[in-house]
């Protein structure tokens, strides 16, 4: 299911696995209690669920960048419209020429 990383664990008696990206663990049934030599252990029946439709971090950052750039453009246009009525025509034209 995943790559064993038990050799990296600070708990040598435990098995640890590295799961693939965009996956999660889904509980399948009610937990049950098992008795071991070390004591009681609660077992949660799980299933690995991989969601290929989730977006990656890079895609999320690009989407946020696009939203911020669009918001900045809208804010700049709103400021321009507000200032257009406030400023004299020559000053407004000089200001608009300076803004890319």
């Amino acid at each position: 299911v995943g790559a064993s990383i038990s050799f990296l664990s600070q708990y040598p008696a435990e098995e640890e696995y590295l799961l693939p990206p965009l996956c999660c663990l889904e509980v399948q049934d009610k937990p049950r209690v098992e008795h071991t030599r070390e004591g009681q252990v609660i077992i949660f029946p799980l299933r690995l669920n991989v969601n290929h439709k989730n977006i990656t971090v890079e895609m999320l950052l690009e989407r946020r960048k696009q939203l911020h750039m669009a918001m900045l453009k809208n804010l700049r246009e709103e400021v321009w419209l507000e200032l257009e009525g406030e400023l004299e025509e020559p000053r407004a034209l000089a200001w608009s020429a300076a803004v890319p």
Side-chain angles (χ1 to χ4, degrees), residues 80-94:
W80 169 249
L81 290 174
E82 289 287 327
L83 290 176
E84 195 173 41
E86 299 286 327
L87 299 175
E88 308 159 3
E89 187 65 29
R91 285 180 58 199
L93 291 174

Side-chain angles (χ1 to χ4, degrees), residues 3 24 39 52 55 93 97-98:
C24 60
H52 293 289
I55 61 174
L93 291 174

Side-chain angles (χ1 to χ4, degrees), residues 29-90:
D29 203 358
K30 293 181 181 178
R32 66 181 188 275
V33 177
E34 288 188 7
H35 300 281
T36 66
R37 281 181 264 166
E38 289 82 24
Q40 292 183 346
V41 177
I42 300 174
I43 306 292
F44 290 87
L46 301 173
R47 181 181 83 162
L48 187 64
N49 185 4
V50 180
N51 187 349
H52 293 289
K53 293 186 180 184
N54 276 350
I55 61 174
T56 63
V57 172
E58 291 81 11
M59 293 166 70
L60 178 63
L61 290 174
E62 182 60 30
R63 182 186 295 174
R64 290 186 68 196
K65 178 183 174 184
Q66 290 174 357
L67 289 172
H68 286 133
M69 294 303 289
M71 183 176 63
L72 179 62
K73 180 183 175 204
N74 289 339
L75 286 172
R76 186 172 63 182
E77 289 173 3
E78 283 183 35
V79 169
W80 169 249
L81 290 174
E82 289 287 327
L83 290 176
E84 195 173 41
E86 299 286 327
L87 299 175
E88 308 159 3
E89 187 65 29

